[in-house]
Amino acid sequence: MLDIGREIVYTMNPITIMILIGIYGIYKKKTKLTFISFIFLYLLLTPFFPSAFLRSIENKYRDQFQGHKPKNIIVIGGGFNINKLPLTQQLPTSVSNRIVEAVMLKEKYPKANLILTAFEIESRIMKKYLNALGNKWNIYDDSKPNTMEQISFIKELNLKGKSFILTNASHMPRTIKLAKKEGLNLIPYPTDFIIRRDSFELKDLRPSPDAFHMTMTLWYELFGNIHDVLVY
């Protein structure tokens, strides 16, 4: 998805929409509309509501890698921060987690290839990060800005043997769907789970930054799927 499209999706999200509707309701003195908008805003900003949906998405491929021995360990990109920061902070935590998981898999399966497909600056930072951990990518690509192009690159490699693909648990269903569309049978190895417990706690009814992150993740993946259907 183009950067401008990504920014539009992030800006015009359900939380922003509910705030705008609430402001409109207050301005027009429409009490019922204002009340409904704030109820929806509360639901979107408390973990209980978005976590119910996100949990099912993240758990879809949770353990499918069990019992498989990979010949290829594929990591796809996921953004970067300002590159003037220390190396450990130049990548989002989710991307750092993928690299660390890849290194641990490499230690377990030393004959497996480490493969990276990302884009420009992000790719170079990920290369430095892996080098700092004492490893290097066997196959390295720095020209693919989105998931579909990354999947196409993987297809072009014509890899032999079983291949693990590492990305966020929330992004994995979309990644696997695109891979299957290209005829690839990749084994999902989800990382960076946002939902890390199954039990309910009272704090799940309190608005929190975590809930905002959950809602935005669901929103982005929803529009990513719509984009894939329309474009691919």
Side-chain angles (χ1 to χ4, degrees):
M1 189 180 296
L2 295 174
D3 287 341
I4 188 171
R6 185 183 292 112
E7 290 304 317
I8 292 172
V9 169
Y10 272 130
T11 302
M12 295 308 298
N13 61 75
I15 295 171
T16 301
I17 293 171
M18 287 302 109
I19 291 173
L20 292 175
I21 291 174
I23 293 172
Y24 174 80
I26 293 172
Y27 177 73
K28 291 292 186 178
K29 297 183 180 179
K30 296 181 179 292
T31 305
K32 187 175 181 180
L33 181 64
T34 303
F35 177 75
I36 291 173
S37 69
F38 283 133
I39 288 296
F40 273 99
L41 190 61
Y42 167 78
L43 291 174
L44 293 170
L45 291 175
T46 54
F48 178 74
F49 182 73
S51 67
F53 292 94
L54 193 56
R55 182 180 292 107
S56 64
I57 293 173
E58 291 193 328
N59 286 343
K60 185 172 183 178
Y61 296 107
R62 186 164 195 155
D63 299 312
Q64 288 199 12
F65 62 89
Q66 298 287 357
H68 293 283
K69 184 178 179 180
K71 190 172 181 180
N72 306 291
I73 301 166
I74 306 167
V75 179
I76 62 176
F80 63 94
N81 300 319
I82 300 172
N83 59 7
K84 291 183 180 179
L85 294 171
L87 180 59
T88 55
Q89 297 175 31
Q90 290 180 25
L91 294 171
T93 303
S94 60
V95 179
S96 300
N97 288 344
R98 294 177 209 177
I99 297 175
V100 172
E101 289 286 349
V103 170
M104 291 191 293
L105 283 170
K106 178 67 173 177
E107 290 180 354
K108 187 175 182 180
Y109 306 106
K111 293 184 179 180
N113 296 310
L114 279 176
I115 302 171
L116 168 68
T117 173
F119 189 60
E120 293 182 348
I121 297 175
E122 172 196 12
S123 184
R124 292 194 290 272
I125 296 171
M126 293 175 75
K127 186 176 183 179
K128 290 180 182 178
Y129 201 106
L130 189 67
N131 290 345
L133 294 175
N135 282 268
K136 65 178 182 178
W137 303 104
N138 297 106
I139 300 174
Y140 172 78
D141 167 67
D142 64 354
S143 62
K144 305 300 182 290
N146 59 54
T147 305
M148 188 62 230
E149 291 192 23
Q150 292 163 354
I151 292 296
S152 297
F153 169 76
I154 294 167
K155 182 179 181 179
E156 291 171 4
L157 293 176
N158 195 26
L159 298 171
K160 305 300 181 183
K162 295 180 179 180
S163 299
F164 283 2
I165 186 163
L166 279 65
T167 189
N168 291 6
S170 59
H171 187 57
M172 187 61 77
R174 183 177 160 213
T175 302
I176 294 299
K177 184 170 68 173
L178 290 173
K180 287 181 177 178
K181 182 175 279 191
E182 290 295 303
L184 295 175
N185 186 26
L186 302 177
I187 299 172
Y189 192 100
T191 63
D192 201 52
F193 285 80
I194 297 174
I195 308 301
R196 301 181 183 182
R197 57 181 171 82
D198 295 323
S199 59
F200 169 77
E201 295 181 7
L202 284 177
K203 66 180 181 179
D204 292 336
L205 299 176
R206 298 198 305 259
S208 72
D210 289 340
F212 177 85
H213 179 45
M214 293 175 196
T215 297
M216 293 300 294
T217 298
L218 286 168
W219 183 249
Y220 185 72
E221 290 302 325
L222 170 64
F223 266 83
N225 278 287
I226 294 173
H227 171 267
D228 295 342
V229 170
L230 294 176
V231 176
Y232 307 122

